[in-house]
Amino acid sequence: MTGFAPNNTPFPPLVAARDGSNFTYTSLHDRVPHILTDVINDFYAAVQHADSDDAVAEGKQLTGLLSKLKHEMVTDKPLTPLDDDGTGDIAEWNHWLAEYFSGGTWYSTPFLAWEPYMYRRIAAIFRKSQLWNTYDYFATKKEDTFQASMVAVAKLCARVDTLTQETVADLGNSTKQHLAFVEMLQASLWGNQTDLSMFPDLSNEKLEEMQARISSGENSSKIVANDTDRIWKIVSQVHGGRVDIVLDNSGFELLQDVLLAHWLVAAGIAAKVVFHPKRIPWYVSDVTNTDFHWLVDAIQSPASVGATGLSAADERVLQGLGAQWNELLKSGVWELHDELFWTGPYGYRYLPTKGADVWNELTSSDVVIFKGDLNYRKLVYDLQWPVSTPFVDAIGPIADDPNAPAIVALRTSKCDTIAGVDPQRASELFALRKDWMYSGEYGVIQLSPGRWASRI
């Protein structure tokens, strides 16, 4: 698929239907305003416990700005330029807004325009402040959910610890290694169901049920496009290489991603894993640098986050893994790169032009794994693609670049855009449930082989 401008796409973008008939409308009318209301309410509570009169006074001002943002959204006002908060990306955001969506309102601009705009504007409100500029308005929600799931976390870690030891003890057994990789990849995929912007009431019991379905293989039938075997043909040729993971959600999903990285290093496939978190709080539960380190420290010292119900064996496994992960970070085997492009306005097809430094870095990798729904939407640019459109066509220039790494998308579908699905399979799913694309019940594991194409 050749290049196109953000406002001149080959298929219609997702825009809120005025008759309320699509998921984009439901998100803009109900789901996202509810998220913003939660931010306002949680921040209001935090302001009441501020330790100075100045912090209280500024907090009230920020609450007013957040309320103004919500009012503009629900009354369909135009998207206004962002105030410069010193982060370094506002000029690009405002140029993009003026160039492609000038005068556009919330209900007239595409889903992939107004939604990230909202999260970037929330961040700017806080980052411009004097006393609340490092406040993560989603932190409590992220941390509380993980703390409440420590029993499920321990079970998962014990399973992967055993699987990793079995892999290392028999590295010459390619069949066993392949089966372990399939389990780890699917666990990382289904971890994406733990998205607090879609499912805010995750419980320990639900997480344990999800893990049981992964282990049993029950979820395999819900993978509607599955390139796992082709991905393995590439991964099995990588020895001491580099794998990048563009992260999505913190907490249980991040744990699945970290465990995948743990296995890839132990198996000798990756000598370097580069994680790409967000630099600013994003989409409720997206991973920041702070979230990543918090999780690793929580695994190494579960008592520090108030974990209860763990056996002595659980604690030994967790502490051992956490210590290994901190050492991998210290030694540079694992790195965190929080480039601003991931919270910028452009889809990923524009990486070679609008994110050239990031793209040049990614081409140094053997395999780049994009996690989750938003990363998928930014890969395919959130259009109403015919479902049979090949994934490589939908992602465009980053598939065609001769230096491109293998690109893997692991996504549970929570928005009504998708590519690379067999039309008959899609018809069956629509007959089964009309909301299959945005229910979060179905997933894809898709591959653009990049420079590996001739070797699989």
Side-chain angles (χ1 to χ4, degrees):
M1 180 72 63
T2 56
F4 53 78
N7 62 345
N8 187 23
T9 55
F11 295 98
L14 301 181
V15 176
R18 292 289 180 172
D19 63 2
S21 61
N22 64 2
F23 178 69
T24 307
Y25 176 90
T26 301
S27 292
L28 180 53
H29 188 264
D30 300 315
R31 184 178 61 85
V32 176
H34 181 75
I35 290 171
L36 187 48
T37 299
D38 283 349
V39 171
I40 294 169
N41 291 341
D42 291 348
F43 180 59
Y44 177 82
V47 170
Q48 305 314 302
H49 295 92
D51 57 7
S52 73
D53 291 342
D54 288 344
V56 170
E58 187 177 49
K60 290 179 179 178
Q61 293 174 358
L62 300 185
T63 302
L65 293 173
L66 293 169
S67 298
K68 180 175 182 289
L69 170 59
K70 181 183 174 183
H71 175 75
E72 291 176 13
M73 178 192 302
V74 300
T75 57
D76 196 25
K77 295 294 190 293
L79 276 59
T80 57
L82 297 167
D83 291 335
D84 193 347
D85 61 5
T87 302
D89 61 343
I90 295 298
E92 182 173 59
W93 263 101
N94 286 339
H95 177 268
W96 166 86
L97 189 62
E99 181 76 12
Y100 303 114
F101 301 108
S102 179
T105 68
W106 292 83
Y107 279 82
S108 68
T109 54
F111 201 169
L112 201 57
W114 63 258
E115 191 178 32
Y117 166 86
M118 183 199 76
Y119 285 102
R120 187 61 188 90
R121 188 161 154 192
I122 294 172
I125 288 171
F126 283 96
R127 292 175 79 87
K128 274 180 61 66
S129 69
Q130 296 296 313
L131 302 173
W132 296 94
N133 59 341
T134 61
Y135 177 74
D136 183 347
Y137 29 92
F138 297 132
T140 300
K141 198 178 291 289
K142 290 184 282 189
E143 292 173 6
D144 287 353
T145 302
F146 191 75
Q147 289 167 349
S149 63
M150 285 302 289
V151 173
V153 164
K155 289 182 179 179
L156 173 62
C157 286
R159 167 60 186 155
V160 174
D161 189 45
T162 299
L163 188 67
T164 303
Q165 291 180 39
E166 291 173 350
T167 299
V168 172
D170 198 5
L171 285 175
N173 190 328
S174 59
T175 299
K176 183 181 288 187
Q177 200 172 36
H178 181 198
L179 291 173
F181 175 73
V182 171
E183 181 175 337
M184 296 302 304
L185 198 69
Q186 288 201 18
S188 182
L189 163 67
W190 294 115
N192 181 238
Q193 287 185 317
T194 61
D195 181 343
L196 295 179
S197 71
M198 287 289 290
F199 309 110
D201 300 317
L202 288 168
S203 66
N204 192 66
E205 290 75 18
K206 288 180 181 178
L207 292 173
E208 289 190 11
E209 289 172 6
M210 182 185 73
Q211 187 57 35
R213 289 195 298 271
I214 294 168
S215 299
S216 68
E218 178 185 338
N219 273 2
S220 297
S221 63
K222 292 188 174 182
I223 302 175
V224 300
N226 193 347
D227 290 332
T228 298
D229 288 343
R230 295 175 66 223
I231 295 167
W232 175 247
K233 287 180 180 179
I234 293 172
V235 170
S236 62
Q237 297 177 63
V238 178
H239 306 287
R242 169 173 164 173
V243 175
D244 285 56
I245 304 177
V246 183
L247 298 168
D248 189 23
N249 296 299
S250 57
F252 203 74
E253 180 177 359
L254 174 59
L255 177 66
Q256 302 275 20
D257 302 337
V258 169
L259 287 167
L260 173 61
H262 172 86
W263 185 86
L264 289 169
V265 171
I269 292 165
K272 167 87 66 181
V273 178
V274 180
F275 299 93
H276 299 269
K278 307 300 192 298
R279 192 174 299 184
I280 57 178
W282 198 247
Y283 275 68
V284 185
S285 50
D286 277 32
V287 183
T288 64
N289 271 296
T290 300
D291 296 329
F292 192 101
H293 289 289
W294 183 92
L295 180 138
V296 172
D297 291 341
I299 294 297
Q300 185 168 2
S301 180
S304 69
V305 297
T308 59
L310 300 177
S311 67
D314 289 338
E315 292 192 3
R316 282 195 298 272
V317 170
L318 293 175
Q319 290 165 358
L321 288 173
Q324 290 179 61
W325 299 345
N326 268 314
E327 183 56 36
L328 288 168
L329 289 165
K330 183 179 178 181
S331 66
V333 174
W334 287 0
E335 294 182 3
L336 304 181
H337 294 183
D338 61 348
E339 300 95 342
L340 280 173
F341 185 84
W342 309 120
T343 51
Y346 288 99
Y348 297 163
R349 63 173 38 251
Y350 301 103
L351 267 165
T353 53
K354 299 298 183 180
D357 290 347
V358 179
W359 180 242
N360 289 339
E361 180 70 16
L362 293 179
T363 59
S364 300
S365 187
D366 294 294
V367 179
V368 180
I369 300 171
F370 286 87
K371 288 299 309 294
D373 194 67
L374 178 62
N375 281 324
Y376 187 90
R377 292 168 59 196
K378 285 204 160 190
L379 279 168
V380 305
Y381 209 63
D382 224 20
L383 305 182
Q384 297 178 43
W385 297 101
V387 294
S388 61
T389 305
F391 177 67
V392 293
D393 289 352
I395 69 175
I398 60 173
D400 301 334
D401 190 319
N403 297 314
I407 291 173
V408 175
L410 303 180
R411 178 236 193 166
T412 58
S413 188
K414 309 181 194 99
C415 183
D416 42 0
T417 183
I418 202 164
V421 177
D422 179 78
Q424 183 175 344
R425 175 70 166 136
S427 295
E428 293 169 353
L429 289 168
F430 278 120
L432 182 66
R433 56 183 302 175
K434 292 182 179 180
D435 68 345
W436 73 270
M437 270 202 231
Y438 52 88
S439 66
E441 294 293 322
Y442 296 89
V444 297
I445 299 176
Q446 292 178 305
L447 170 70
S448 168
R451 63 178 183 268
W452 292 89
S454 64
R455 299 170 63 180
I456 60 173

